[in-house]
């Protein structure tokens, strides 16, 4: 598995943590995504943004198939703008903004054909929001690639106000603050055993027997009807 982060064009070391692997469900904690895309304005007039791209080359063990995947995270955003002091006139209003996006897709083939996935975009979050991106109903036995890409952005501008008195006037700057965080981002891969050819034959035979039984019941019902 390989991740390619971007931060002002600089590559950073990445971390993926195996959280659990049981019952055909593998959960991976995306530690680097959480650290790369979680940011704030630190109470000053500033803008800050970052991109994340994770490319995971996945091989499927013989006798198994990947049936789906999901990406889940909790988004936490804070937007704060100080109120103007009583009697002050506004020179420039304070402002706080944040936004984020995420895509989780499965790709196959030499050209990275997208076979399943979802994307999400959100703006102006002041609170928490859970996201879940999925690709289900798959049956992948050959190697494939998981592509995880995200972005976060925060911006805050201090408010400028003028205090006027009988014999004085002065300007004050009041704080604004914005933050955006990805909490517990988790990639989950779902797998199941591939049935043996004999199992398929048994399933087909069972369907044929069920159909024959249904046909006999219909014929019996017709033969027993009054003339």
């Amino acid at each position: 598995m390989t991740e390619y982060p971007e931060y002002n064009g600089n590559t950073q070391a990445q971390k993926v943590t195996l959280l659990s692997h049981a019952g055909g469900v593998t959960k991976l904690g995306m530690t680097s995504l959480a650290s790369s895309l979680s940011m704030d304005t630190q109470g000053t007039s500033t803008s800050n943004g970052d991109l994340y791209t994770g490319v995971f080359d996945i091989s499927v063990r013989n006798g198994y198939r990947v049936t789906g995947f999901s990406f889940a995270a909790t988004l936490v955003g804070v937007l704060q703008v100080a109120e103007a002091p009583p009697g002050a006139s506004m020179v420039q209003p304070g402002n706080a903004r944040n936004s984020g996006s995420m895509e989780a897709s499965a790709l196959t083939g030499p050209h990275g054909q997208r076979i399943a996935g979802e994307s999400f975009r959100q703006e102006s979050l002041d609170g928490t929001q859970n996201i879940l991106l999925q690709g289900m109903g798959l049956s992948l036995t050959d190697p494939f690639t998981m592509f995880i890409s995200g972005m976060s952005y925060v911006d805050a501008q201090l408010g400028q106000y003028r205090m006027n008195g009988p014999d004085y006037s002065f300007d004050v700057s009041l704080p604004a603050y914005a933050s955006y965080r990805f909490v517990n981002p988790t990639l989950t891969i779902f797998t199941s055993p591939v049935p043996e050819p004999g199992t398929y034959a048994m399933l087909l035979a069972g369907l044929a027997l069920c159909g024959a039984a249904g046909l006999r019941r219909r014929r019996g019902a017709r033969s027993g009807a009054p003339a």
Side-chain angles (χ1 to χ4, degrees):
M1 295 186 296
T2 305
E3 291 182 277
Y4 303 98
E6 296 180 16
Y7 181 77
N8 296 330
N10 297 323
T11 300
Q12 298 175 331
Q14 295 298 290
K15 293 182 180 180
V16 177
T17 304
L18 178 62
L19 302 177
S20 63
H21 176 63
V25 179
T26 301
K27 292 183 177 291
L28 301 171
M30 307 190 68
T31 309
S32 297
L33 185 152
S35 60
S36 295
L37 297 185
S38 297
M39 60 192 59
D40 62 67
T41 57
Q42 302 179 352
T44 61
S45 288
T46 185
S47 298
N48 194 8
D50 205 351
L51 304 173
Y52 171 92
T53 300
V55 180
F56 302 84
D57 298 321
I58 299 177
S59 298
V60 186
R61 182 181 298 177
N62 289 338
Y64 289 84
R65 59 184 173 182
V66 170
T67 58
F69 66 87
S70 69
F71 173 88
T74 298
L75 306 180
V76 180
V78 177
L79 298 173
Q80 296 176 342
V81 178
E83 296 183 359
S89 59
M90 183 175 63
V91 177
Q92 176 180 310
N95 184 52
R97 298 179 298 166
N98 60 24
S99 63
S101 65
M102 184 59 59
E103 176 187 351
S105 298
L107 313 177
T108 62
H111 303 294
Q113 180 183 358
R114 186 175 186 264
I115 57 172
E118 293 181 324
S119 59
F120 169 87
R121 181 172 178 82
Q122 183 276 331
E123 296 183 0
S124 301
L125 176 64
D126 190 16
T128 62
Q129 181 173 347
N130 295 323
I131 64 170
L132 178 64
L133 307 178
Q134 299 184 95
M136 307 303 288
L138 305 178
S139 183
L140 302 176
T141 56
D142 294 328
F144 68 99
T145 299
M146 283 299 308
F147 177 77
I148 309 294
S149 177
M151 178 276 293
S152 61
Y153 174 79
V154 293
D155 175 78
Q157 301 298 322
L158 303 183
Q160 305 291 331
Y161 298 91
R162 180 161 297 144
M163 303 295 295
N164 298 303
D167 54 359
Y168 66 85
S169 177
F170 63 90
D171 292 345
V172 295
S173 298
L174 297 182
Y177 175 82
S179 69
Y180 198 88
R181 304 187 186 281
F182 283 78
V183 179
N184 296 328
T186 304
L187 175 64
T188 304
I189 306 294
F190 301 95
T191 61
S192 68
V194 176
E196 297 293 334
T199 304
Y200 284 120
M202 291 173 62
L203 290 173
L204 292 174
L207 290 174
L209 289 173
C210 290
L215 181 60
R216 285 197 298 271
R217 283 197 296 270
R218 287 196 297 272
R219 287 177 175 173
R222 286 196 296 268
S223 63

